[in-house]
Amino acid sequence: MIERWFRVLADLTYRHYKSIIVVSILLTVFCSFFVFKLVRRLETDIAALIPDNYQSVKTINEIKKRVGGVGSLVVLVQSPDFEANKRFAEDFVKELQGSEYKKFVNFIDYKRDVAFFKKNALLFMETGDLEEILARVEDRITLEKLKLSPMYIQLDEGEAEEDALDFSDIEAKYKGAEEGDDTYYTNRDRTVLAIEAMAAGTVSNIGFAKEMHSKLKEAANQLVPLSYHPQMVIEFGGPFKNKIDEFDTILSDIKSTLIFGLIGVVLILTIYFRQPLAAFFVALPLLMGLIWAFAITYWVIGNLNTMTGFLFVILFGLGIDFGIHMFARYLEDRMDNMDVRLSIETMLSQTGQAILTAALTTSIAFFSLTWTDFKGFSEFGFIVGTGIIMSLITMTTVLPAVLVLADRKLKLVRMRHVCGHDWGGSHGHFKGAKTVLVIASVVTIYLGVNLHKIEFEYDFTNLRSNLTASVAVKQKMATISKYGNESQSYSIVLADSKAELDEIVATLEKRIAEDDSTPTIDKVKTLWLELRGQDEKLEVIDEIRALANGEATKLLKGKQKARLDSMRSLLDVSEIAVDDLPENILRKFRTIDGSQAYFAQILPSVQLRDGKNAIAFAEDSHEIQTASGKTFFSSSSNIIFADMLQLMLRDSPQAIIITVVVVLLIVVADFKSLRSALLVMFPLVCGTIWMCGTLYLQSVKLNFYNIVALPTIIGMGIDNGVHLYHRYREEGPGSMRLVLKSTGGAMFVSMLTTMVGFFGLMTAQHPGLNSIGRLALIGLLTCFITAVVVLPALLEVLDGKRVRENDSEGDVEETDD
């Protein structure tokens, strides 16, 4: 049935080759517009890898909706002259207040309200420190009273100095890292001044992030920094710049991989087919199919992510396998003096069946991944599956049409055997089959029993692009106290009123107090919590003031009195309300429309760059059920990261199992024999185990990038067994050397073209993409080796056994006669 349909297709492509070529070109031009739009929608946010209906994603979207922009762009002004840095900062901030920047900047934070915090310094101290100040003043007054007694004897001359009234240790506790003018955010030597532009958009919108960075960079350049100081340098950092760097690194890696892959494939095809136009014959139909596939991706998904952005190169290497097998078969038949029409028919009816099986097996295996919630798998599976189907369509329609035009009309196809055609004999058995099977079995069993020792990389920072310039900026930011605290990560929980917020805080503080085994929450912060305990503090301050204005004025003299007098201005304070706080603080706690926002920040007590800690923190802080029965949810990039990790770890085994089962069912349907299907699957299983075993041998960890290589290799690796076994069944027992020389050669070239794309990823700067390339290369190589060594050995042993059994039955019959 299938062979008959392929013969019909061959007849149609031969007679209507011009129409097929014209229609396919027009369709490609139309789809190219959408592919261009798709490339500009590369989403590097990890939130793009989990479903939108996850609570963490819905909560973060609600936070963005209410509060507005999430994230900031930090501008670092650097020169040896602090005054020059200040002048530039003031002019730059003034420039950003223009109307053209309102769509990018919500507000700017670049200096503190020092006067406010100095005036109310005692109210922002811990109550225990205030009580310590009171105790020291009381002790000093008591000592001075004792000195007035005629019975007082000073035993140690240094005693007076040791007991001097001193608050320097307490002052140091609350003093920032900046020296001198602490109004601005600077490093210790004041050579770097930070300006933080709070964004009006979200950090996940890469288009907005790049446009904002471009506008602020343009604004800085317009001021001509060198006119303020000849050594002045302006650099950018913060969440938005980190996002841009990540995006640019991935995009650069994709472009370099694409160029490397295309050049490599062209060279391999030219050498293998021994004619320069071979790459054009095979690559043109494939390129059309991939453009169609990515246009469909734009219509269905709408964007690419960090796990799918590089798929064009991979699909190019994967889809060209079809063209290699078909063109090789076409040349083989033409060299046997078949005419163009009959060669096209044989190519489609014979090789086309194997390609159809391989394409359906691989595509359905990848489509099965769309059932998983983890978009790193589901979108990956959809794009690869669609790309393979589109490649199959163009290879069975456009490629034959191109060959008819090039060979029959233009005479561009050279009648040359493929490279390696004359290597070895045409017939013969596979030698050393039993030895190969024993060695393969031992290696497979050894690696298989050690697979459980492979570790997973939970530290996400090891998978981010760390450009030299970006690292340098981060190091400079770390010298500024505002950014020096490494634990700036926190989750946010929203409330609709102050009463709800108080309930949330009470619940979390109770949870902190009760969680003794695995505490991951350090503390909770709100505007009101920062002002909590003022009544108690004011009582202590009143007592200090009473002593300072009473007994201390008579008893303390000289330095003692001067030290107490230095505090006198700080004692004249009254209760602070939220509305009394500086504008630069209040602005951070307002909604988009300027009204009061009620939310709490939940600060972790552990480093959230460790995925295990992020998961534990998410379990402790994500869902908050208050005493009134209401349930609230907190969210942040770290909680989303935790959700993504758990989702990926849950879906990975499912994805692998689904892929294996689907592949097995399709192979059974193709060969109509479970035995044949198991034979084809055997080298794939061995190759996959060997691939994973190399991780164990090299002490390399799996991560959420390279784990996608596992179902990928299973889906791709089955092609080798399908092609080899189809050809072996066609040629019959005793033809293994012929099969390895013809089909094996095409398989080797197919593997090389696929490896070229993944090898390009190994040169990527992005660690995640690099890890995919490394593991996939190993998998392609191990699956190829098992297909051309282990499978032939297995077939040779089984066929030899069958021949011996048949000979034995023949001997028995002769004896009976």
Side-chain angles (χ1 to χ4, degrees):
M1 175 67 74
I2 295 177
E3 183 176 344
R4 187 178 69 183
W5 279 107
F6 271 117
R7 293 185 186 280
V8 172
L9 180 61
D11 181 63
L12 288 174
T13 54
Y14 184 82
R15 289 188 293 109
H16 302 289
Y17 69 93
K18 292 182 181 179
S19 300
I20 291 173
I21 291 174
V22 171
V23 171
S24 60
I25 290 174
L26 293 176
L27 183 58
T28 301
V29 172
F30 171 73
C31 291
S32 297
F33 170 74
F34 299 100
V35 174
F36 177 75
K37 295 178 70 174
L38 179 69
V39 172
R40 295 175 62 87
R41 293 187 179 183
L42 176 61
E43 179 55 73
T44 62
D45 191 358
I46 59 172
L49 297 177
I50 60 178
D52 294 336
N53 61 354
Y54 266 54
Q55 188 61 55
S56 58
V57 177
K58 291 195 293 185
T59 302
I60 201 71
N61 288 335
E62 180 63 22
I63 292 171
K64 294 174 184 177
K65 181 179 177 181
R66 285 207 214 174
V67 181
V70 177
S72 63
L73 187 64
V74 179
V75 184
L76 298 182
V77 184
Q78 306 162 72
S79 84
D81 187 348
F82 175 60
E83 293 301 322
N85 294 346
K86 281 172 54 177
R87 290 196 307 274
F88 180 89
E90 295 292 346
D91 292 343
F92 183 69
V93 171
K94 185 177 180 181
E95 173 69 20
L96 294 187
Q97 290 172 348
S99 58
E100 61 181 304
Y101 300 102
K102 286 185 177 179
K103 64 176 289 189
F104 303 107
V105 181
N106 261 347
F107 64 95
I108 302 167
D109 184 15
Y110 72 110
K111 59 183 179 180
R112 308 174 182 85
D113 189 340
V114 176
F116 173 84
F117 286 104
K118 282 187 175 180
K119 180 179 183 299
N120 299 285
L122 298 183
L123 288 177
F124 289 97
M125 283 186 176
E126 295 178 8
T127 305
D129 289 328
L130 287 174
E131 291 174 340
E132 176 63 23
I133 292 173
L134 174 60
R136 292 183 188 183
V137 174
E138 289 176 335
D139 290 345
R140 191 67 212 183
I141 290 174
T142 301
L143 180 59
E144 293 299 329
K145 286 181 179 179
L146 287 174
K147 286 181 179 181
L148 295 177
S149 171
M151 303 297 294
Y152 176 77
I153 300 175
Q154 183 172 322
L155 300 177
D156 186 355
E157 292 182 0
E159 183 182 350
E161 186 62 30
E162 292 175 5
D163 291 340
L165 193 59
D166 185 16
F167 309 116
S168 59
D169 57 330
I170 298 177
E171 290 175 357
K173 182 177 178 180
Y174 296 96
K175 187 176 182 180
E178 296 82 0
E179 297 177 356
D181 186 350
D182 57 359
T183 302
Y184 296 86
Y185 301 122
T186 67
N187 61 346
R188 188 172 291 276
D189 61 9
R190 301 195 296 170
T191 57
V192 181
L193 188 153
I195 304 169
E196 187 167 14
M198 308 306 294
T202 60
V203 72
S204 60
N205 186 339
I206 189 63
F208 173 86
K210 290 178 76 72
E211 191 176 1
M212 178 184 178
H213 174 246
S214 177
K215 291 295 291 184
L216 267 63
K217 189 175 182 180
E218 181 183 331
N221 290 336
Q222 286 176 354
L223 294 176
V224 190
L226 293 179
S227 66
Y228 291 81
H229 192 280
Q231 297 180 32
M232 182 170 286
V233 175
I234 307 299
E235 291 182 301
F236 295 84
F240 271 66
K241 187 59 168 63
N242 296 339
K243 177 79 169 182
I244 293 169
D245 290 342
E246 190 85 1
F247 175 86
D248 288 343
T249 300
I250 292 175
L251 196 60
S252 174
D253 287 339
I254 290 172
K255 289 179 180 178
S256 61
T257 301
L258 177 61
I259 294 172
F260 183 91
L262 292 177
I263 294 175
V265 167
V266 169
L267 288 176
I268 291 172
L269 293 182
T270 301
I271 294 171
Y272 179 66
F273 288 110
R274 299 176 13 178
Q275 48 186 305
L277 290 179
F280 174 79
F281 299 146
V282 177
L284 178 63
L286 175 61
L287 185 62
M288 291 180 175
L290 295 187
I291 289 175
W292 301 354
F294 279 97
I296 294 172
T297 299
Y298 175 81
W299 298 327
V300 176
I301 299 176
N303 65 271
L304 298 173
N305 59 51
T306 51
M307 288 189 172
T308 59
F310 61 91
L311 281 182
F312 187 91
V313 180
I314 306 307
L315 279 170
F316 192 86
L318 181 61
I320 210 162
D321 293 359
F322 305 152
I324 290 171
H325 285 284
M326 294 187 72
F327 190 47
R329 184 60 183 263
Y330 178 81
L331 287 177
E332 185 179 335
D333 292 337
R334 291 285 284 134
M335 292 295 291
D336 288 339
N337 297 319
M338 288 188 185
D339 61 18
V340 173
R341 183 169 191 151
L342 186 57
S343 296
I344 293 291
E345 182 178 310
T346 305
M347 178 184 72
L348 286 175
S349 62
Q350 298 299 322
T351 307
Q353 287 191 61
I355 286 174
L356 176 64
T357 300
L360 289 179
T361 303
T362 307
S363 61
I364 294 176
F366 279 107
F367 277 131
S368 66
L369 299 180
T370 60
W371 291 98
T372 62
D373 287 335
F374 181 51
K375 290 184 181 179
F377 289 150
S378 61
E379 293 182 0
F380 188 98
F382 176 84
I383 296 174
V384 175
T386 304
I388 291 172
I389 293 298
M390 292 298 105
S391 299
L392 174 66
I393 292 172
T394 54
M395 286 300 179
T396 54
T397 55
V398 181
L399 175 60
V402 169
L403 291 177
V404 172
L405 175 65
D407 196 3
R408 195 183 77 176
K409 293 294 182 182
L410 303 179
K411 307 298 181 182
L412 296 176
V413 180
R414 298 182 181 181
M415 295 301 108
R416 292 179 177 177
H417 286 298
V418 297
C419 182
H421 173 77
D422 54 351
W423 295 352
S426 299
H427 299 281
H429 293 281
F430 188 89
K431 296 180 179 180
K434 291 183 178 179
T435 303
V436 169
L437 282 182
V438 171
I439 295 174
S441 299
V442 171
V443 171
T444 303
I445 292 171
Y446 171 74
L447 295 177
V449 298
N450 286 288
L451 291 183
H452 68 280
K453 296 180 182 178
I454 299 173
E455 297 180 359
F456 188 82
E457 178 60 82
Y458 281 96
D459 191 343
F460 189 63
T461 57
N462 292 334
L463 302 175
R464 290 175 179 160
S465 57
N466 290 310
L467 302 178
T468 303
S470 301
V471 172
V473 170
K474 291 175 184 176
Q475 290 173 344
K476 291 174 184 176
M477 289 179 61
T479 64
I480 301 172
S481 61
K482 178 178 172 67
Y483 308 105
N485 181 12
E486 193 173 354
S487 181
Q488 292 185 43
S489 302
Y490 54 82
S491 63
I492 291 178
V493 54
L494 291 173
D496 293 324
S497 65
K498 174 65 165 52
E500 286 186 348
L501 188 60
D502 289 341
E503 281 192 83
I504 292 170
V505 170
T507 302
L508 288 171
E509 290 185 335
K510 181 181 178 182
R511 188 173 296 178
I512 293 171
E514 293 176 348
D515 191 359
D516 296 326
S517 56
T518 57
T520 62
I521 303 177
D522 180 33
K523 61 181 177 180
V524 185
K525 290 179 66 175
T526 70
L527 273 177
W528 292 269
L529 284 179
E530 293 300 302
L531 302 178
R532 187 168 60 177
Q534 287 190 79
D535 291 342
E536 187 178 355
K537 292 177 182 179
L538 285 170
E539 288 181 8
V540 180
I541 292 171
D542 287 342
E543 291 185 51
I544 297 173
R545 186 191 304 116
L547 290 174
N549 295 332
E551 292 180 292
T553 58
K554 301 174 182 178
L555 296 172
L556 300 185
K557 307 293 182 184
K559 291 182 179 180
Q560 312 293 342
K561 185 175 185 300
R563 285 172 181 156
L564 188 58
D565 287 343
S566 66
M567 288 184 54
R568 198 174 296 279
S569 61
L570 302 179
L571 297 172
D572 186 18
V573 291
S574 58
E575 186 173 356
I576 302 173
V578 166
D579 293 339
D580 296 328
L581 293 170
E583 178 62 22
N584 68 323
I585 294 179
L586 291 175
R587 186 62 188 83
K588 297 177 183 179
F589 290 84
R590 289 187 183 139
T591 60
I592 293 178
D593 59 10
S595 61
Q596 179 69 63
Y598 299 98
F599 64 84
Q601 297 174 347
I602 307 174
L603 279 67
S605 60
V606 293
Q607 292 296 333
L608 299 186
R609 66 188 181 192
D610 185 323
K612 294 179 181 178
N613 288 342
I615 292 172
F617 178 68
E619 291 174 350
D620 286 346
S621 65
H622 178 48
E623 185 173 343
I624 305 160
Q625 189 167 8
T626 63
S628 63
K630 293 182 179 180
T631 301
F632 299 87
F633 297 94
S634 71
S635 190
S636 67
S637 60
N638 291 295
I639 288 182
I640 291 174
F641 174 50
D643 273 355
M644 184 205 67
L645 276 179
Q646 293 184 92
L647 182 60
M648 183 207 62
L649 293 173
R650 186 200 74 187
D651 284 357
S652 295
Q654 296 179 16
I656 295 171
I657 292 171
I658 290 172
T659 304
V660 171
V661 171
V662 169
V663 166
L664 177 61
L665 292 176
I666 296 175
V667 174
V668 169
D670 176 49
F671 291 104
K672 299 179 177 59
S673 165
L674 179 60
R675 177 182 179 276
S676 297
L678 292 176
L679 285 174
V680 171
M681 291 289 292
F682 182 72
L684 173 63
V685 173
C686 290
T688 304
I689 292 175
W690 293 9
M691 173 185 69
C692 295
T694 58
L695 295 177
Y696 160 70
L697 294 176
Q698 298 177 16
S699 298
V700 176
K701 296 180 181 180
L702 275 175
N703 59 61
F704 86 92
Y705 281 100
N706 64 18
I707 201 170
V708 78
L710 299 182
T712 300
I713 293 301
I714 293 173
M716 293 166 55
I718 191 63
D719 290 2
N720 292 326
V722 169
H723 283 296
L724 190 138
Y725 193 60
H726 259 291
R727 188 62 184 267
Y728 182 73
R729 293 211 324 181
E730 181 183 338
E731 299 294 340
S735 62
M736 186 55 69
R737 291 178 65 181
L738 173 64
V739 171
L740 288 176
K741 185 179 70 173
S742 56
T743 302
M747 287 165 52
F748 177 70
V749 175
S750 298
M751 178 198 68
L752 288 181
T753 56
T754 306
M755 289 181 74
V756 163
F758 283 112
F759 187 80
L761 288 180
M762 281 194 65
T763 65
Q765 295 183 39
H766 192 280
L769 298 184
N770 186 285
S771 68
I772 294 176
R774 182 181 293 109
L775 185 58
L777 279 176
I778 294 171
L780 287 170
L781 186 60
T782 56
C783 286
F784 175 76
I785 291 173
T786 53
V788 298
V789 177
V790 178
L791 179 58
L794 180 62
L795 292 173
E796 195 71 40
V797 170
L798 293 176
D799 285 344
K801 181 180 179 181
R802 186 183 304 147
V803 170
R804 288 193 298 272
E805 289 176 351
N806 291 337
D807 290 344
S808 176
E809 290 176 1
D811 292 342
V812 171
E813 290 177 0
E814 290 178 4
T815 303
D816 291 341
D817 291 341

